[in-house]
Amino acid sequence: MKNVPFKGIIAYPITPFDENEKVDIPLFKHLVERLITSGSHGIAPLGSTGVMPYLSDEEKEEVTEATLQQVKGRIPTLVGVSNLTTEKTIHHAQFAEKAGADAVMIIPMSYWKLTDDEIVAHYDAVARKISIPIMAYNNPVTSGVDMSPALLKRLLEIPNVTMIKESTGDVQRMHYLRRELGEEVAFYNGSNPLALAAFSAGARGWCTAAPNLIPELNIGLYNAVEEGDFEKAKTIFYQQFDLLKFIVNKGLPRAVKSGLNILGENGGNLRSPLKPLHEKETDELKNILKPLLINTII
Amino acid sequence: MKNVPFKGIIAYPITPFDENEKVDIPLFKHLVERLITSGSHGIAPLGSTGVMPYLSDEEKEEVTEATLQQVKGRIPTLVGVSNLTTEKTIHHAQFAEKAGADAVMIIPMSYWKLTDDEIVAHYDAVARKISIPIMAYNNPVTSGVDMSPALLKRLLEIPNVTMIKESTGDVQRMHYLRRELGEEVAFYNGSNPLALAAFSAGARGWCTAAPNLIPELNIGLYNAVEEGDFEKAKTIFYQQFDLLKFIVNKGLPRAVKSGLNILGENGGNLRSPLKPLHEKETDELKNILKPLLINTII
Amino acid sequence: MKNVPFKGIIAYPITPFDENEKVDIPLFKHLVERLITSGSHGIAPLGSTGVMPYLSDEEKEEVTEATLQQVKGRIPTLVGVSNLTTEKTIHHAQFAEKAGADAVMIIPMSYWKLTDDEIVAHYDAVARKISIPIMAYNNPVTSGVDMSPALLKRLLEIPNVTMIKESTGDVQRMHYLRRELGEEVAFYNGSNPLALAAFSAGARGWCTAAPNLIPELNIGLYNAVEEGDFEKAKTIFYQQFDLLKFIVNKGLPRAVKSGLNILGENGGNLRSPLKPLHEKETDELKNILKPLLINTII
Amino acid sequence: MKNVPFKGIIAYPITPFDENEKVDIPLFKHLVERLITSGSHGIAPLGSTGVMPYLSDEEKEEVTEATLQQVKGRIPTLVGVSNLTTEKTIHHAQFAEKAGADAVMIIPMSYWKLTDDEIVAHYDAVARKISIPIMAYNNPVTSGVDMSPALLKRLLEIPNVTMIKESTGDVQRMHYLRRELGEEVAFYNGSNPLALAAFSAGARGWCTAAPNLIPELNIGLYNAVEEGDFEKAKTIFYQQFDLLKFIVNKGLPRAVKSGLNILGENGGNLRSPLKPLHEKETDELKNILKPLLINTII
């Protein structure tokens, strides 16, 4: 029986920085707590939203530990441990396991485009060194490599690779996955504007930074899908569509930080070269976000 | 009140040829009859499936008249009248109206990429010369021009442009359409593998050549959607997914002709340079099609 | 010995229309004459510039005859005869041969994407019916199909397919062609902004509408290349680069017509849906064109 | 007067590893020496070829120092110092300056797509902290961001940003650069198969890993260009074209390492997940490389 600890809304916290662009751990813990108490079904630190690639090894370890201390087992935790080299990926995966993570997420980061064999060897080498499950993450824009359904099938033959996260933004890819890999494959959607279509296609969960801003709508969509209520799912999806497009278009860390400020929360600072939203962008976000806080159907 | 005569499954017949590559009108009428009796909600001759661009003006007129004679008002008819020049588009649109068509479908064919203003003027010039409604068709791969939601909004201001067919294959485009144009916009999906996602997004109908081969599954999907039954819709969709991908990948006229032969029907000949499926491709189609004829859940 | 009648600057005339959007044959002949007397090495009616796809069969025949009457053998003539169906392509190729054309140009127009075998059969069927040489034309944007070097190699095995025109705009494609097909292959560049790079890569000629406006600069570039003068070629190329980009970006028929007007020539009318350049675009063209008429280094 | 220390062939060494996947500094120095003695005009450690992103900060510093110790001022040195964060980029740039580098190369690495303002601020922050010149490097495939000519123009206004390296592989981009930025702009080509076209377009140099394998042909091309000999340049370019395509297609570190082995040199090991060429690929490289060692025209 495959170990698949996630279902529903998997929330991605940002990593906030202080004025000196150092990671602000107390604020990070506060933001994690918000995600838990607002009902997220899982939590995923050190994703793209958490600007993992901009952090030093030590900072990644700090963030991992802070998450597990704060979560205290209330919901499952998925830690991002991707790295260009196999050696470093193993290092971070082992650290996450020791810290208590329920699973790790790995994208085949590639500066030099990897062959299928290199990718399989990479996952296999990591999988052998840990005993918690791995979510294989496909996002060609970020990683520079597009893992075909055939390759993902090979990865799923590695015993503790049990989940797939798809972020190509193409729902047809999910149809393929399900056809190629069988109805039981646990795949997750990582493309926000595709949330409705992905659930229609059978996605088990939605990996998203949106619960930082509109958790009720995200969870509401999932619940409507679980109830099998087509019309309600469609209505709730269209309510949040503009926000989902906005945060993707502007970059998740920048957009979430500004959205938190609009909500009266502290979003911390960004690390250079990333800069906050311009005033005009912030106004646009206000106009999208404000109505959602009052007029939801839930 | 907008005149929107279509909803559900809009079936596209092929245009069959005889041994001399002349249009075979009696066979065409027979194929149209099959589509009607198997339950299609609308019929659309002279689409891409009907190899409209390969026909002479006289042949297009023959096919138009043959369709309306055969349909005899049992279901609404949508005639393809697109042409590179405005003058010819008007000619064919007027012919279709006189022959009794319920609506015409127009894609902005463009050898030289058209500006937005040129496209609006093109639709407007045609719309002024007929009184039946127009379905504006967006398919950048075919037409060479991608009509933005903003442009489609302009087209919908022309009184008898009342429907939009979207074939980009990107469900996010449909989300945009609905957000930009309002919940009441009548949009139709023209991308077969997107059928489920498009209905989830609110599409009013599905323009498809698939009912030539698997009408029960196509109509079954629509019915499940109408009943709001998420799970049933998903199941029926995945049953037909491989066939939908196959006919799109191989080219609709080639694939439908071969599929008809497999079903024991006469699919006629193709017009050169189009050639029938190779034997290997035909075998592949057989393997996809055969199980669908027995094991459907309907 | 292969029959390769073209070398140097192959000029593409526009097809001008009168106020009723009918082809204006006397004006067309005048424009052809301008191209000849300004030194073009070949002439190619019924190309994209000549809006061939917008013309009826009869109009194409008229234009073919008018060209050959006007040229009177002073330079070789290359007539565009591409058509969606094989039958019509043969018809126009035979007409061109009878009218006295030195060669025909054929792009595999495809509404439905053609397989390699379908394309080879198409060219072969035409080639068997004429005895003048064929230039195979590759332009995926226009035709919807990208002919690989391997496919072009197959086409060149047909005895009277002797020339290739490449318009992908990617100079690496030309490098491939020459490597795959041998140093002796006669390939021509159809991408205006690539003129210098294509000649550097070994192109035998440049198929271009630019001689309607700046024949001295086009011929000057070719002459510098023939002299093997790298620096001079570079200088003359950069002088005309902005104009080449402009006419490509705005569409050749629209841009050439306006450019002729700026030069004090009659450019005729366009056929709908094509519309003339806007005033602002015309001003931009004036600013690019005017300095070229005075300050050339030639 | 702008400080532009490079012209001609700028050679990129690989970074070799030992059996434990540690950087092999003595072998690295040997490979640098080969590049110098075979006539390269400049040397660029810690580029993509040198797998810079796979190295730790300490390893980058070691490689920087080893290069400058080995070069001893015989040719100018360009050190890659790109990093996701501004702070780390400054750190490595300052280290390179202190170690004696003539210039640093910076690509705007971006996990999250940077805005133009963020990119300008990034370069500006680094430029203020060093006094040696910066080569701004555009390679959208690698960095995830495509710097427009307009943006590059802004970067060139920063006093010590004096050079541009373009690796889009599109020669038209170089034409634009020269038109937009003026004849005097120092731009360099980073796309191997574009070497001839780029020199034709006016590139001042060619940034390439090829001199690890075929220095005579690379330098021969540059010399032919300098002599203004069109035909000779073309001939020498086509001699090396297959090798240039091969090393790009297979990934520079993998291909160069195998090529060195074929030449009887020690290419060291790669760092996981990168793996050596397969046997079949190695044979292909042998077939391309062997004839070049004997039959060159130089």
Side-chain angles (χ1 to χ4, degrees):
Chain A
M1 181 61 189
K2 292 246 173 182
N3 182 354
V4 175
F6 297 96
K7 193 157 169 35
I9 303 301
I10 303 163
Y12 282 62
I14 59 168
T15 302
F17 298 88
D18 65 18
E19 284 116 69
N20 301 315
E21 300 199 3
K22 302 296 170 204
V23 178
D24 185 339
I25 292 291
L27 178 54
F28 174 74
K29 286 183 165 181
H30 170 69
L31 295 174
V32 167
E33 186 62 27
R34 283 183 76 245
L35 291 170
I36 298 169
T37 54
S38 61
S40 299
H41 306 110
I43 195 144
L46 298 174
S48 298
T49 305
V51 294
M52 189 263 272
Y54 299 75
L55 304 181
S56 71
D57 291 352
E58 296 70 33
E59 289 169 330
K60 291 176 197 173
E61 295 172 7
E62 264 191 297
V63 168
T64 301
E65 285 177 332
T67 306
L68 287 149
Q69 285 163 13
Q70 189 66 31
V71 173
K72 292 196 201 77
R74 287 175 286 173
I75 55 175
T77 300
L78 173 71
V79 178
V81 300
S82 313
N83 204 287
L84 264 180
T85 71
T86 304
E87 190 189 1
K88 286 264 181 170
T89 310
I90 291 170
H91 169 81
H92 291 295
Q94 289 181 324
F95 188 92
E97 180 171 20
K98 261 176 242 153
D102 295 273
V104 292
M105 183 174 69
I106 300 177
I107 190 167
M109 280 187 164
S110 61
Y111 188 88
W112 286 105
K113 201 173 147 44
L114 299 173
T115 64
D116 281 9
D117 287 348
E118 285 171 340
I119 290 171
V120 172
H122 180 66
Y123 277 94
D124 192 58
V126 181
R128 286 170 189 281
K129 301 286 188 158
I130 57 173
S131 52
I132 53 175
I134 294 172
M135 184 184 284
Y137 176 23
N138 189 39
N139 187 345
V141 172
T142 294
S143 72
V145 63
D146 190 358
M147 296 195 283
S148 66
L151 173 54
L152 291 170
K153 196 170 190 169
R154 286 179 65 187
L155 293 183
L156 286 170
E157 286 163 13
I158 300 170
N160 48 341
V161 177
T162 65
M163 301 168 282
I164 291 172
K165 175 180 170 191
E166 248 290 327
S167 290
T168 51
D170 178 7
V171 71
Q172 299 192 32
R173 185 61 73 94
M174 293 186 183
H175 296 326
Y176 266 127
L177 277 182
R178 199 178 142 125
R179 288 296 302 173
E180 289 287 318
L181 307 182
E183 285 201 14
E184 289 316 306
V185 65
F187 69 89
Y188 300 81
N189 169 44
S191 170
N192 284 305
L194 214 67
L196 175 63
F199 278 130
S200 305
R204 189 167 303 209
W206 174 19
C207 298
T208 174
N212 287 289
L213 304 179
I214 49 165
E216 295 85 1
L217 285 168
N218 309 137
I219 294 161
L221 173 59
Y222 176 67
N223 289 340
V225 170
E226 282 294 282
E227 296 159 16
D229 190 334
F230 227 91
E231 274 308 308
K232 193 173 168 192
K234 192 161 62 181
T235 304
I236 300 179
F237 172 68
Y238 277 113
Q239 285 183 316
Q240 63 195 288
F241 181 67
D242 287 349
L243 185 86
L244 300 178
K245 289 302 297 182
F246 184 91
I247 63 178
V248 167
N249 288 345
K250 298 302 178 182
L252 296 169
R254 296 174 74 222
V256 168
K257 175 226 171 336
S258 292
L260 286 168
N261 292 352
I262 292 170
L263 297 179
E265 290 282 339
N266 181 2
N269 291 299
L270 297 162
R271 176 169 281 179
S272 300
L274 299 181
K275 302 285 180 221
L277 294 189
H278 297 298
E279 201 182 317
K280 210 181 126 188
E281 294 172 317
T282 306
D283 287 345
E284 198 185 335
L285 178 53
K286 265 183 208 162
N287 289 335
I288 293 172
L289 194 50
K290 285 277 168 75
L292 298 183
L293 307 178
I294 321 167
N295 304 314
T296 69
I297 68 160
I298 308 154
Chain B
M1 180 64 187
K2 290 244 173 183
N3 182 354
V4 175
F6 297 95
K7 191 158 171 38
I9 303 300
I10 303 164
Y12 282 63
I14 60 168
T15 301
F17 298 89
D18 65 19
E19 285 115 70
N20 301 313
E21 300 198 2
K22 301 298 170 203
V23 178
D24 185 338
I25 292 291
L27 179 53
F28 174 73
K29 285 184 165 181
H30 170 68
L31 295 173
V32 166
E33 187 61 28
R34 283 182 76 245
L35 292 170
I36 298 169
T37 56
S38 62
S40 299
H41 306 109
I43 193 143
L46 298 173
S48 297
T49 306
V51 293
M52 189 264 273
Y54 298 75
L55 304 182
S56 71
D57 291 351
E58 296 69 32
E59 289 169 330
K60 290 176 197 172
E61 294 173 7
E62 265 190 296
V63 168
T64 301
E65 284 177 334
T67 307
L68 287 150
Q69 285 164 14
Q70 190 66 31
V71 173
K72 291 196 201 78
R74 286 176 287 173
I75 54 174
T77 300
L78 172 70
V79 178
V81 299
S82 312
N83 204 286
L84 264 180
T85 70
T86 305
E87 189 189 0
K88 286 263 183 172
T89 310
I90 291 171
H91 170 80
H92 290 296
Q94 289 181 323
F95 189 92
E97 179 170 20
K98 263 176 237 152
D102 295 274
V104 292
M105 183 174 69
I106 299 177
I107 190 170
M109 281 188 162
S110 61
Y111 188 88
W112 286 105
K113 202 171 147 44
L114 299 174
T115 64
D116 281 9
D117 287 346
E118 285 171 339
I119 290 171
V120 171
H122 180 66
Y123 277 93
D124 192 58
V126 181
R128 285 170 188 281
K129 299 287 189 158
I130 57 174
S131 53
I132 52 175
I134 294 171
M135 183 185 283
Y137 176 24
N138 189 39
N139 188 343
V141 171
T142 295
S143 72
V145 62
D146 191 358
M147 296 195 284
S148 66
L151 173 54
L152 292 170
K153 197 169 190 171
R154 285 179 65 187
L155 293 183
L156 286 170
E157 287 163 12
I158 300 171
N160 49 341
V161 176
T162 65
M163 300 169 282
I164 291 173
K165 176 180 170 191
E166 248 290 327
S167 290
T168 50
D170 177 6
V171 72
Q172 299 192 32
R173 186 63 72 95
M174 293 184 185
H175 295 327
Y176 266 126
L177 276 183
R178 199 178 140 125
R179 288 296 303 174
E180 288 287 319
L181 308 183
E183 287 201 14
E184 289 316 307
V185 65
F187 69 87
Y188 300 81
N189 168 43
S191 170
N192 283 303
L194 213 67
L196 175 62
F199 278 130
S200 304
R204 190 168 302 208
W206 175 16
C207 297
T208 174
N212 287 289
L213 304 179
I214 49 164
E216 295 83 2
L217 285 168
N218 309 138
I219 294 161
L221 172 58
Y222 177 67
N223 289 339
V225 170
E226 283 293 284
E227 296 158 17
D229 190 334
F230 227 90
E231 273 308 307
K232 193 173 169 193
K234 191 160 64 182
T235 304
I236 300 179
F237 172 69
Y238 276 112
Q239 285 183 316
Q240 63 196 289
F241 181 68
D242 288 349
L243 184 87
L244 299 179
K245 287 303 295 181
F246 184 89
I247 63 177
V248 167
N249 288 345
K250 297 303 178 182
L252 296 170
R254 297 174 73 223
V256 168
K257 175 224 171 338
S258 293
L260 287 168
N261 292 349
I262 291 169
L263 296 178
E265 290 283 339
N266 182 3
N269 290 297
L270 297 162
R271 176 169 279 180
S272 299
L274 299 179
K275 304 283 181 221
L277 294 188
H278 297 298
E279 200 181 317
K280 211 181 126 188
E281 293 171 317
T282 307
D283 287 345
E284 198 187 333
L285 179 53
K286 266 183 207 157
N287 290 335
I288 293 171
L289 194 50
K290 285 277 168 73
L292 297 185
L293 306 178
I294 320 166
N295 303 316
T296 69
I297 67 159
I298 307 153
Chain C
M1 180 61 187
K2 292 248 174 180
N3 182 355
V4 175
F6 297 96
K7 194 160 169 33
I9 303 301
I10 303 164
Y12 282 63
I14 60 167
T15 302
F17 299 88
D18 64 20
E19 284 117 69
N20 301 313
E21 300 198 3
K22 302 297 168 202
V23 178
D24 185 338
I25 292 291
L27 178 54
F28 174 75
K29 286 184 164 181
H30 170 68
L31 296 173
V32 167
E33 186 62 27
R34 284 182 76 244
L35 291 170
I36 299 168
T37 54
S38 62
S40 299
H41 306 109
I43 193 144
L46 298 173
S48 297
T49 305
V51 293
M52 190 264 273
Y54 298 75
L55 303 182
S56 70
D57 291 353
E58 296 69 33
E59 289 169 330
K60 290 176 195 171
E61 294 172 8
E62 265 189 298
V63 167
T64 302
E65 284 178 333
T67 307
L68 288 150
Q69 285 163 14
Q70 190 66 30
V71 173
K72 293 195 201 77
R74 286 175 287 174
I75 56 175
T77 300
L78 172 71
V79 178
V81 300
S82 312
N83 204 288
L84 265 181
T85 71
T86 305
E87 190 190 359
K88 286 264 182 169
T89 311
I90 292 171
H91 169 81
H92 290 297
Q94 289 181 323
F95 188 92
E97 178 170 21
K98 262 176 239 151
D102 295 273
V104 292
M105 182 173 71
I106 299 177
I107 190 169
M109 279 187 165
S110 60
Y111 189 87
W112 286 106
K113 202 170 145 47
L114 299 173
T115 64
D116 281 10
D117 286 348
E118 285 173 340
I119 290 170
V120 172
H122 179 67
Y123 277 94
D124 192 58
V126 181
R128 285 171 189 280
K129 301 288 188 158
I130 57 173
S131 53
I132 53 176
I134 293 172
M135 182 184 284
Y137 176 24
N138 189 40
N139 187 344
V141 172
T142 294
S143 72
V145 62
D146 191 359
M147 296 196 285
S148 66
L151 173 55
L152 291 170
K153 197 170 190 171
R154 285 179 66 188
L155 293 183
L156 286 169
E157 286 163 13
I158 300 170
N160 47 342
V161 176
T162 64
M163 301 169 282
I164 290 171
K165 176 181 169 189
E166 249 289 326
S167 291
T168 49
D170 177 7
V171 72
Q172 298 191 33
R173 185 65 70 95
M174 294 187 183
H175 295 328
Y176 266 127
L177 277 183
R178 199 177 141 127
R179 287 296 303 174
E180 288 288 317
L181 307 182
E183 286 201 14
E184 289 315 307
V185 63
F187 70 88
Y188 300 82
N189 169 43
S191 170
N192 283 304
L194 213 68
L196 176 62
F199 278 130
S200 304
R204 191 168 301 208
W206 175 18
C207 298
T208 175
N212 287 290
L213 304 179
I214 49 163
E216 295 83 1
L217 284 168
N218 309 136
I219 295 162
L221 172 58
Y222 177 68
N223 288 341
V225 170
E226 283 294 283
E227 295 159 17
D229 188 334
F230 227 90
E231 274 308 308
K232 193 174 168 191
K234 192 160 62 181
T235 304
I236 300 180
F237 172 69
Y238 277 112
Q239 285 183 316
Q240 62 195 287
F241 180 67
D242 288 348
L243 186 85
L244 299 178
K245 288 302 296 181
F246 182 90
I247 63 177
V248 167
N249 288 344
K250 297 302 177 182
L252 296 169
R254 296 174 75 221
V256 168
K257 175 228 169 337
S258 293
L260 287 168
N261 292 350
I262 292 170
L263 297 178
E265 289 283 340
N266 181 2
N269 291 298
L270 296 161
R271 176 169 280 181
S272 300
L274 299 180
K275 305 283 178 219
L277 294 188
H278 296 299
E279 201 181 317
K280 210 181 128 189
E281 294 172 317
T282 307
D283 287 345
E284 198 187 334
L285 178 53
K286 263 184 208 160
N287 289 335
I288 294 171
L289 194 51
K290 285 277 169 75
L292 298 183
L293 307 177
I294 320 166
N295 303 316
T296 69
I297 67 159
I298 306 154
Chain D
M1 181 61 187
K2 291 244 172 184
N3 181 355
V4 175
F6 298 94
K7 193 159 169 35
I9 303 301
I10 303 162
Y12 281 63
I14 60 169
T15 301
F17 298 89
D18 65 20
E19 285 117 69
N20 302 314
E21 302 199 2
K22 302 295 169 204
V23 178
D24 185 338
I25 291 291
L27 179 53
F28 174 74
K29 285 183 165 180
H30 170 69
L31 295 174
V32 166
E33 186 62 27
R34 282 183 77 244
L35 291 170
I36 298 169
T37 55
S38 61
S40 300
H41 306 110
I43 194 143
L46 298 174
S48 298
T49 305
V51 294
M52 188 263 273
Y54 299 74
L55 304 181
S56 70
D57 290 352
E58 296 69 32
E59 289 169 330
K60 291 176 197 172
E61 294 173 7
E62 265 191 297
V63 168
T64 301
E65 284 177 334
T67 307
L68 287 149
Q69 285 163 13
Q70 189 66 29
V71 173
K72 292 195 201 79
R74 287 175 287 173
I75 56 175
T77 300
L78 172 71
V79 178
V81 298
S82 312
N83 204 287
L84 265 180
T85 69
T86 304
E87 189 188 1
K88 286 264 182 170
T89 311
I90 290 171
H91 169 81
H92 291 295
Q94 288 181 324
F95 187 95
E97 179 169 20
K98 262 176 238 150
D102 295 273
V104 292
M105 182 174 70
I106 300 178
I107 191 169
M109 280 187 164
S110 61
Y111 188 88
W112 286 106
K113 202 171 147 44
L114 299 174
T115 63
D116 282 9
D117 286 347
E118 285 172 340
I119 291 171
V120 172
H122 180 67
Y123 277 93
D124 192 59
V126 181
R128 286 170 187 280
K129 301 287 188 158
I130 58 174
S131 54
I132 53 176
I134 294 172
M135 183 184 285
Y137 176 23
N138 189 39
N139 188 345
V141 171
T142 294
S143 72
V145 62
D146 191 358
M147 296 195 285
S148 66
L151 172 55
L152 292 170
K153 197 169 189 171
R154 285 178 66 188
L155 293 183
L156 286 169
E157 285 163 13
I158 300 171
N160 49 340
V161 176
T162 65
M163 300 168 282
I164 291 172
K165 176 180 170 191
E166 246 292 324
S167 289
T168 50
D170 177 6
V171 73
Q172 298 191 33
R173 185 63 72 96
M174 293 186 183
H175 296 328
Y176 266 127
L177 277 183
R178 198 177 142 127
R179 287 296 303 176
E180 288 287 319
L181 308 183
E183 287 202 15
E184 289 316 308
V185 64
F187 69 90
Y188 300 80
N189 168 44
S191 170
N192 283 304
L194 213 69
L196 176 62
F199 279 131
S200 303
R204 191 169 300 210
W206 175 17
C207 297
T208 175
N212 286 289
L213 304 179
I214 49 164
E216 297 82 1
L217 285 168
N218 309 138
I219 294 160
L221 173 58
Y222 176 68
N223 289 340
V225 170
E226 283 293 283
E227 296 158 16
D229 189 334
F230 226 92
E231 274 309 307
K232 194 174 169 193
K234 191 160 63 182
T235 304
I236 300 179
F237 172 70
Y238 277 112
Q239 286 183 317
Q240 62 195 290
F241 180 69
D242 287 349
L243 185 87
L244 299 179
K245 287 302 296 182
F246 183 91
I247 62 177
V248 168
N249 289 343
K250 297 303 177 184
L252 296 169
R254 297 174 73 222
V256 167
K257 176 227 170 336
S258 292
L260 287 168
N261 291 350
I262 292 170
L263 297 178
E265 290 283 340
N266 181 3
N269 291 298
L270 296 162
R271 175 169 281 181
S272 299
L274 299 180
K275 304 283 179 219
L277 294 188
H278 296 299
E279 200 181 318
K280 211 180 124 189
E281 293 172 316
T282 307
D283 287 345
E284 198 186 334
L285 178 54
K286 265 183 206 159
N287 289 335
I288 293 171
L289 195 50
K290 285 278 169 73
L292 298 184
L293 307 177
I294 322 165
N295 303 313
T296 68
I297 67 160
I298 306 152

